[in-house]
Amino acid sequence: MPKTSVVSKAIAAAFVVLTVSVIGGIITMIILYKTEISTMNPTPRPTRPVSTTVLPPVMRLPKNLIPLSYKVFLMPQLYTRIIEKVNVTSPNQTMDFLGNSTVSFQCVERTSTIYLKSMNLAVSNGKVKNENTNKMIEVSAMKTHRDDTNFLEIQLREALEEGGNYSLFLTFKGEISENLDGMYVSTYVEGVPEFLVATQLEPADARKVFPCFDEPDMKAEFHVTIIHRRDTIALGNAEISGSNIVDDEWKYTSFHPTPKMSTYLFAFTVSEFTATPSTHERVQINTYARPEATAAGHAQYAASITGKILSFYENYFGIDYTQKKLDQIALPDLAAAAMENWGLVTYYEGSLLYEEGVSSVLNKEQIATTIAHELAHQWFGNLVTMKWWNDVWLNEGFATYMSLFAVDNVEPTFQLVTFEMDALASSHPLSPPQEEVQKTSSIIQMFNSITYCKGAAVLRMLADIVGERVFIEGVKVSNYFKPHLVDMVAHWLVARFMEPWTKQIGYPVITINTTNGEVNQKHFLFNDSAESRHVKIGYMWNLVRVSTGSTALINIFKGPILFKKDEFLSKNGEWILANINCTGYYRVNYNPENWDRLLTQLEIDPHRFPPMNRGQLIDNAFFMARAKLVEVTLALNSTRFLRKELDFLPWQLTVRNLEYFVVMFDRSEVYGPMQAYLREQVKGLYNSLRNYTDKSTIPKDHSSQHSQMLAIEVACSNELPECLEMATKMFADWMNSNNTNPIHPNLRSVIYCQAVAAGGKKEWDFAWARYQSSSDTSEKEQLRVALSCTKKTWLLNRYLEYTLDPDKIRLMDVDSTISDIAWNPAGHALAWNFIRAHWDYVSQQDGDMLINAVTSRFSTQFELDELERFKAEYDLGPAANEVYQAIEQTHVNIQWVRENKDAILEWFERETAE
Ligand SMILES: *[C@@H]1O[C@H](CO)[C@@H](O)[C@H](O)[C@H]1NC(C)=O
Ligand SMILES: *[C@@H]1O[C@H](CO)[C@@H](O)[C@H](O)[C@H]1NC(C)=O
Ligand SMILES: *[C@@H]1O[C@H](CO)[C@@H](O)[C@H](O)[C@H]1NC(C)=O
Ligand SMILES: *[C@@H]1O[C@H](CO)[C@@H](O)[C@H](O)[C@H]1NC(C)=O
Ligand SMILES: *[C@@H]1O[C@H](CO)[C@@H](O)[C@H](O)[C@H]1NC(C)=O
Ligand SMILES: *[C@@H]1O[C@H](CO)[C@@H](O)[C@H](O)[C@H]1NC(C)=O
Ligand SMILES: *[C@@H]1O[C@H](CO)[C@@H](O)[C@H](O)[C@H]1NC(C)=O
Ligand SMILES: [Zn+2]
């Protein structure tokens, strides 16, 4: 649907040039995205260097050599099963791998030193050849730098000449990692322990597999051969060109050359996995999983949507998927949820496998979203790649944003919506300067929620500003190269408009005064004086779109505000609502009169506003209250209309914002009236959905399914009698049934927790027995959490004791179990005593969430003193930082409670007075 818009003149002029044909390259110009489509982008002519003195590089590879292709042989010696030949304690399983590689490259600047990246590899046998003359060039020294640079420095007897083509051969040896990085081993049990080899190279671990020019813009073709045990199969980025069993032990599998790609996308696996095919007219798609999982059909759902998603993107981007095959593989171990390796996408099992009748609607949504995200990367990231990691938001923001369209296309009932303003505590701009992202550790830190969520939100805003149709044309990969001057101007403008959003931390708050029509913006901060010290604002947010209720469009550009003042003037006392559907990446505050009118409108007829904005009003009110821009009672007033609210988003945002109120007050006299209030508010929602639970059937649309889960959680935790009765009954039905679980997978985690909370020893013991006997990971996890929900202190104490016994609670679950107990108001004090009594044991893990959980309620001077004593008397190790933060937070809590408690108590009491 085309949008009517009123654009200020200056901006309108700027956007006139942004027509469909010229916007292509938004991305190119926002931050020098670079494509490698050979027909459109011939290898750039080497530029003549100004100076010939070459200084040693600092962190980054010098750009004097340009890689063209690699020929790589890799031989992981792992067996997929333990061969108990020698004896049981020392079977002949081996973690070694061998390999050799030949990299061909062009020299664009004379040099007698080759720098590559290499880590944890024993490299030898370097041979350099001039490919133009076929002459060998003698290597005089080879040195691996054992520091953050990971340089492999190769000194030559004679210089490589500008314009010449050369190759470098190396042999190397390494060890398969057990830490899920580089070339690593993953294990699982199907009757017997099984092993497989996989890779995870993003961002900077290709150097652990073979020496290479390990930077994203140093792309090359890869010709790969894997030598593996003959009873296993090898998968690579490209399709298999041939395989060949050479003896009783070994099989060679060779792959066609990959497209020109970055090293971090290199991947291979060696396993005994089996495949589930998908249909696609041209590309051969297979989804690999453990044989048992494949046989049980757990890859079916993924397989059923993958072909459709790929076709969707081919249409959307206007360019075919570049390879002939696409493999996906569900790995029992992976350091991320998934990784977009070109042609061989790896997934953590839980992100890809779906078990009918066991997995919940959330699983299904996550699977579809994850596949859509990774497949979007086959274009954004793989084909078109950021120059350096400081701009990884372009990869991740695009994939995240695009995945919503793809999911909407293949699963229209999901209706995913995002509202992710809150994830963005101020920590770094989307696109920090390159110099700040040099070390591998800083590169890894770029993969955070700001990169993913703010990236997607800012792109959504851009799409909204230029119009979806123009945006879609703009992202078509085939539109990237339009070398006209007018395009350059358009690109420059887009880049300038985007800059404040990409180069600055955080986002603005727009304040609208409807009494005089004034609008202004400032950086949104919770605590102006404390936070602004760390934040240097270079410039205003250039382009802010504020749509009012009547879909008018107003832009604010660089300080001077370019809109007609009366746009925001309320002449006859009518309300004005800004940022319709929250497409703008900012928060909005109003004068008290307008707030009042908006909240009144909500109570009269909430459906006058779209669900997004109903949620936004609540979220903004609570954030403004935290930043002391409005009174806390205004935030509470914004929740009044929920009595009539059946949509998920406003409820979800309320629950999120009230979490802090709950932990601050659940041990105080505020909690009774607060529960009474929420009980009343949620009744309507709960009752509108309760028939479904009674019949163990589930609403069709996903949004209602989410509402149902949330309704039960809010209703039961605030002790709505019919909810407690329902949860107890459903759990009892399970206890009385023979092994079949009558509870719908969607509702299991909430019912388990609420039933254990409402119940006693019998429920707890049943859940504990199930926890111990279940082999289903997600079921086990739900039960482990549910066990912490009981209100009986003696059960909680016993459960705490269990965490000391690794046969009862695995070491990796100790922290989260104690944390779960600490989040329960009945367990809070027990957990705090417990961790101090057993600090040596519980601090074996890194403990970051543990400290946060046990101190979350601290809001009195006495508790602060205890925490200070803890800091002074215990050996905190790596938890010291968390304790320091907890002390800071406790100060904040003490002040917040002091300033707000009376008003909040009075508000809830008045609301619930008969
Ligand atoms: C490991 O044991 C298997 C089975 O006994 C044997 O065939 C193989 O040669 C052994 N490999 C090594 C490297 O010792
Ligand atoms: C198993 O092999 C290891 C190493 O080869 C050796 O130290 C150990 O004594 C052997 N154990 C038995 C039971 O033979
Ligand atoms: C690289 O290793 C493979 C497999 O071991 C071997 O066949 C090949 O000859 C080696 N390449 C060179 C140049 O030595
Ligand atoms: C807001 O979003 C809803 C659907 O979520 C859509 O129907 C409506 O047209 C949108 N409103 C505007 C002004 O874009
Ligand atoms: C809004 O404008 C009116 C009229 O200029 C002024 O009296 C009032 O203080 C302003 N309100 C806010 C919240 O700035
Ligand atoms: C909240 O609502 C009450 C009742 O309508 C009203 O008296 C009060 O002024 C509101 N509080 C704020 C801060 O707007
Ligand atoms: C739920 O069931 C009761 C009794 O069967 C019925 O009266 C009520 O209208 C139903 N509610 C909904 C929302 O379907
Ligand atoms: Zn991604």
Side-chain angles (χ1 to χ4, degrees):
M1 196 181 66
K3 279 189 178 138
T4 45
S5 49
V6 182
V7 186
S8 71
K9 267 196 188 148
I11 308 299
F15 277 111
V16 164
V17 288
L18 298 181
T19 58
V20 166
S21 69
V22 297
I23 195 144
I26 289 174
I27 308 96
T28 329
M29 292 302 294
I30 293 172
I31 309 183
L32 299 171
Y33 232 42
K34 189 174 162 192
T35 86
E36 295 293 348
I37 307 164
S38 53
T39 53
M40 297 175 190
N41 185 21
T43 308
R45 285 179 67 84
T47 47
R48 189 168 259 285
V50 191
S51 140
T52 47
T53 46
V54 182
L55 298 169
V58 183
M59 288 295 294
R60 300 276 291 279
L61 289 168
K63 299 292 187 260
N64 51 7
L65 305 176
I66 297 179
L68 303 170
S69 71
Y70 295 80
K71 194 168 176 184
V72 185
F73 288 84
L74 289 167
M75 182 180 187
Q77 305 195 340
L78 191 90
Y79 294 91
T80 46
R81 309 203 181 172
I82 289 178
I83 309 290
E84 290 168 5
K85 184 189 169 202
V86 185
N87 64 34
V88 182
T89 49
S90 175
N92 73 354
Q93 180 62 289
T94 159
M95 292 292 163
D96 293 339
F97 70 87
L98 299 173
N100 65 52
S101 68
T102 311
V103 53
S104 307
F105 56 89
Q106 191 179 33
C107 175
V108 294
E109 186 182 344
R110 192 170 190 276
T111 181
S112 52
T113 315
I114 299 173
Y115 285 98
L116 294 160
K117 299 256 172 172
S118 169
M119 192 175 176
N120 302 347
L121 294 174
V123 184
S124 57
N125 204 14
K127 294 198 182 82
V128 177
K129 188 162 104 182
N130 182 329
E131 292 288 336
N132 302 111
T133 62
N134 264 337
K135 275 227 207 70
M136 300 305 290
I137 297 168
E138 206 182 320
V139 172
S140 56
M142 227 162 58
K143 177 180 160 203
T144 307
H145 293 232
R146 307 216 174 275
D147 55 22
D148 285 340
T149 67
N150 306 139
F151 282 136
L152 172 64
E153 180 183 344
I154 300 168
Q155 301 280 358
L156 306 174
R157 290 253 184 258
E158 54 186 280
L160 307 179
E161 297 298 337
E162 183 184 324
N165 285 309
Y166 300 89
S167 69
L168 164 66
F169 173 83
L170 293 164
T171 60
F172 50 88
K173 217 162 75 177
E175 225 176 277
I176 298 172
S177 161
E178 296 183 51
N179 296 319
L180 315 187
D181 57 340
M183 185 192 306
Y184 71 92
V185 60
S186 173
T187 59
Y188 59 101
V189 178
E190 275 191 0
V192 293
E194 307 252 4
F195 301 79
L196 65 97
V197 183
T199 52
Q200 169 59 37
L201 309 187
E202 189 182 27
D205 281 345
R207 65 195 65 174
K208 294 179 182 167
V209 179
F210 56 97
C212 55
F213 293 95
D214 197 8
E215 294 193 1
D217 70 342
M218 299 185 89
K219 294 184 172 187
E221 274 181 11
F222 296 82
H223 304 245
V224 182
T225 301
I226 304 293
I227 301 144
H228 52 108
R229 300 288 173 186
R230 56 175 286 180
D231 48 0
T232 59
I233 57 157
L235 302 173
N237 295 97
E239 73 271 25
I240 293 174
S241 60
S243 67
N244 167 16
I245 293 175
V246 290
D247 56 30
D248 284 355
E249 278 290 308
W250 300 107
K251 183 171 170 181
Y252 279 54
T253 300
S254 300
F255 299 89
H256 281 289
T258 65
K260 210 168 176 210
M261 69 175 194
S262 308
T263 46
Y264 77 88
L265 294 169
F266 182 96
F268 76 93
T269 62
V270 174
S271 71
E272 291 181 46
F273 280 15
T274 50
T276 308
S278 302
T279 31
H280 186 279
E281 54 185 13
R282 189 175 34 79
V283 183
Q284 215 176 49
I285 303 174
N286 279 301
T287 301
Y288 286 84
R290 285 181 285 109
E292 273 183 10
T294 303
H298 297 174
Q300 290 288 358
Y301 176 65
S304 74
I305 57 172
T306 303
K308 292 183 202 161
I309 293 176
L310 200 71
S311 300
F312 169 80
Y313 285 136
E314 293 190 315
N315 267 323
Y316 201 97
F317 298 141
I319 190 163
D320 281 351
Y321 171 70
T322 329
Q323 299 206 60
K324 294 202 183 69
K325 72 98 183 181
L326 171 66
D327 291 324
Q328 312 191 93
I329 184 165
L331 298 169
D333 305 280
L334 182 67
M339 175 63 211
E340 68 262 24
N341 316 299
W342 208 340
L344 175 54
V345 184
T346 50
Y347 296 83
Y348 176 60
E349 272 192 356
S351 311
L352 194 67
L353 302 185
Y354 182 80
E355 205 175 330
E356 206 66 56
V358 174
S359 311
S360 78
V361 58
L362 287 172
N363 295 120
K364 202 169 202 172
E365 284 172 12
Q366 272 158 10
I367 291 165
T369 313
T370 309
I371 294 175
H373 178 104
E374 302 311 325
L375 297 199
H377 275 313
Q378 306 301 308
W379 286 262
F380 284 99
N382 300 8
L383 190 59
V384 184
T385 313
M386 75 274 144
K387 254 187 139 47
W388 184 246
W389 298 108
N390 63 319
D391 279 329
V392 70
W393 77 273
L394 278 169
N395 270 11
E396 299 306 343
F398 257 106
T400 303
Y401 179 56
M402 289 300 153
S403 66
L404 295 179
F405 291 88
V407 173
D408 204 40
N409 185 265
V410 300
E411 294 281 15
T413 61
F414 285 10
Q415 304 202 325
L416 303 178
V417 287
T418 51
F419 189 89
E420 287 297 346
M421 298 282 298
D422 60 340
L424 325 157
S426 330
S427 73
H428 74 78
L430 267 184
S431 171
Q434 279 203 21
E435 311 82 76
E436 290 174 17
V437 187
Q438 293 292 319
K439 287 188 182 179
T440 302
S441 56
S442 346
I443 295 171
I444 291 168
Q445 280 167 15
M446 291 299 296
F447 290 82
N448 56 33
S449 70
I450 293 178
T451 296
Y452 284 74
C453 300
K454 182 178 180 181
V458 162
L459 290 168
R460 175 164 175 256
M461 177 168 67
L462 178 64
D464 188 61
I465 290 165
V466 300
E468 205 140 285
R469 195 171 67 97
V470 174
F471 185 80
I472 291 168
E473 286 305 314
V475 301
K476 286 201 168 170
V477 179
S478 49
N479 273 342
Y480 277 151
F481 289 88
K482 301 271 184 184
H484 296 294
L485 183 61
V486 61
D487 301 330
M488 300 306 285
V489 174
H491 297 159
W492 180 82
L493 278 168
V494 172
R496 285 295 301 276
F497 284 134
M498 293 298 281
E499 238 174 32
W501 302 96
T502 61
K503 305 275 191 216
Q504 296 187 119
I505 289 171
Y507 52 83
V509 50
I510 311 295
T511 304
I512 299 174
N513 185 345
T514 61
T515 309
N516 59 8
E518 266 174 25
V519 175
N520 51 60
Q521 59 160 308
K522 66 177 191 133
H523 192 202
F524 181 79
L525 295 168
F526 282 126
N527 181 345
D528 246 328
S529 53
E531 284 178 59
S532 51
R533 270 185 280 121
H534 308 291
V535 182
K536 215 176 85 212
I537 298 298
Y539 28 6
M540 301 290 273
W541 282 265
N542 268 339
L543 179 72
V544 170
R545 173 187 168 138
V546 180
S547 17
T548 56
S550 54
T551 70
L553 165 67
I554 288 102
N555 292 294
I556 302 171
F557 181 61
K558 266 241 158 176
I561 294 169
L562 300 178
F563 62 89
K564 291 199 294 296
K565 236 184 162 190
D566 58 4
E567 205 86 50
F568 285 119
L569 193 58
S570 168
K571 293 184 197 82
N572 308 309
E574 72 274 22
W575 50 259
I576 288 178
L577 177 72
N579 203 7
I580 298 300
N581 284 350
C582 314
T583 48
Y585 195 66
Y586 50 78
R587 292 186 182 279
V588 188
N589 193 12
Y590 305 96
N591 52 317
E593 296 78 11
N594 195 57
W595 268 117
D596 200 47
R597 291 177 199 133
L598 286 167
L599 299 189
T600 305
Q601 173 65 51
L602 273 177
E603 287 190 58
I604 297 167
D605 175 15
H607 298 279
R608 186 70 183 77
F609 304 148
M612 272 287 221
N613 286 90
R614 305 205 291 276
Q616 171 225 33
L617 282 168
I618 294 173
D619 203 55
N620 277 341
F622 276 93
F623 271 72
M624 295 306 145
R626 261 175 86 182
K628 298 189 186 170
L629 297 172
V630 303
E631 284 174 46
V632 70
T633 49
L634 185 132
L636 293 170
N637 279 354
S638 77
T639 66
R640 278 221 191 96
F641 77 99
L642 288 173
R643 207 175 296 246
K644 295 184 191 158
E645 180 57 81
L646 302 180
D647 258 288
F648 176 64
L649 195 67
W651 271 105
Q652 184 199 28
L653 290 168
T654 304
V655 168
R656 239 194 243 173
N657 280 298
L658 284 180
E659 261 164 25
Y660 185 64
F661 287 58
V662 172
V663 290
M664 285 302 102
F665 296 134
D666 63 7
R667 301 173 301 167
S668 82
E669 74 267 32
V670 178
Y671 202 50
M674 181 170 165
Q675 281 192 308
Y677 173 73
L678 289 170
R679 209 154 50 221
E680 274 311 303
Q681 296 301 89
V682 80
K683 253 186 196 163
L685 180 70
Y686 180 81
N687 285 321
S688 79
L689 295 162
R690 65 174 297 184
N691 280 13
Y692 298 112
T693 50
D694 286 351
K695 293 189 204 145
S696 296
T697 56
I698 286 297
K700 277 212 176 52
D701 75 287
H702 281 230
S703 166
S704 303
Q705 294 186 38
H706 285 290
S707 297
Q708 193 180 37
M709 294 183 250
L710 194 84
I712 296 174
E713 187 187 318
V714 177
C716 280
S717 62
N718 290 295
E719 298 175 353
L720 187 69
E722 49 266 50
C723 182
L724 295 176
E725 198 182 307
M726 180 277 299
T728 307
K729 180 177 174 304
M730 285 179 78
F731 197 75
D733 287 350
W734 184 28
M735 285 168 49
N736 298 330
S737 73
N738 285 326
N739 257 334
T740 50
N741 188 337
I743 307 168
H744 190 279
N746 279 356
L747 306 182
R748 283 181 191 167
S749 61
V750 53
I751 299 275
Y752 293 174
C753 176
Q754 297 305 336
V756 168
K761 180 171 187 301
K762 202 170 66 167
E763 287 76 12
W764 201 94
D765 286 345
F766 176 79
W768 175 250
R770 286 292 158 148
Y771 169 73
Q772 286 186 302
S773 65
S774 175
S775 60
D776 183 292
T777 351
S778 75
E779 170 95 352
K780 233 180 150 68
E781 181 63 16
Q782 288 168 347
L783 287 163
R784 192 183 58 73
V785 175
L787 288 163
S788 70
C789 297
T790 178
K791 294 189 177 133
K792 306 255 180 285
T793 36
W794 71 271
L795 284 172
L796 288 169
N797 245 336
R798 188 175 71 179
Y799 196 26
L800 280 169
E801 295 292 331
Y802 285 1
T803 64
L804 299 174
D805 178 353
D807 289 337
K808 291 200 163 76
I809 301 290
R810 286 177 308 170
L811 192 56
M812 62 178 277
D813 290 331
V814 168
D815 271 15
S816 44
T817 305
I818 300 173
S819 300
D820 292 337
I821 293 170
W823 283 112
N824 177 346
H828 175 81
L830 302 178
W832 171 230
N833 288 337
F834 185 83
I835 67 156
R836 287 179 294 170
H838 303 281
W839 182 245
D840 286 347
Y841 188 78
V842 302
S843 62
Q844 289 176 70
Q845 302 282 295
D846 58 7
D848 50 347
M849 57 181 179
L850 188 61
I851 297 294
N852 179 20
V854 295
T855 62
S856 62
R857 288 187 178 77
F858 285 5
S859 50
T860 63
Q861 186 59 43
F862 177 75
E863 285 162 331
L864 181 61
D865 294 344
E866 277 201 344
L867 195 50
E868 296 277 11
R869 215 163 24 246
F870 178 58
K871 181 178 156 214
E873 290 170 10
Y874 283 73
D875 173 17
L876 300 176
N881 195 32
E882 317 302 330
V883 173
Y884 171 76
Q885 280 175 14
I887 289 173
E888 293 271 284
Q889 186 60 45
T890 304
H891 281 289
V892 171
N893 296 350
I894 291 173
Q895 195 186 343
W896 188 84
V897 170
R898 189 166 56 221
E899 288 173 359
N900 294 292
K901 184 174 169 187
D902 292 344
I904 293 171
L905 176 60
E906 193 191 323
W907 191 91
F908 280 121
E909 276 177 342
R910 211 184 46 228
E911 283 299 311
T912 51
E914 289 302 315

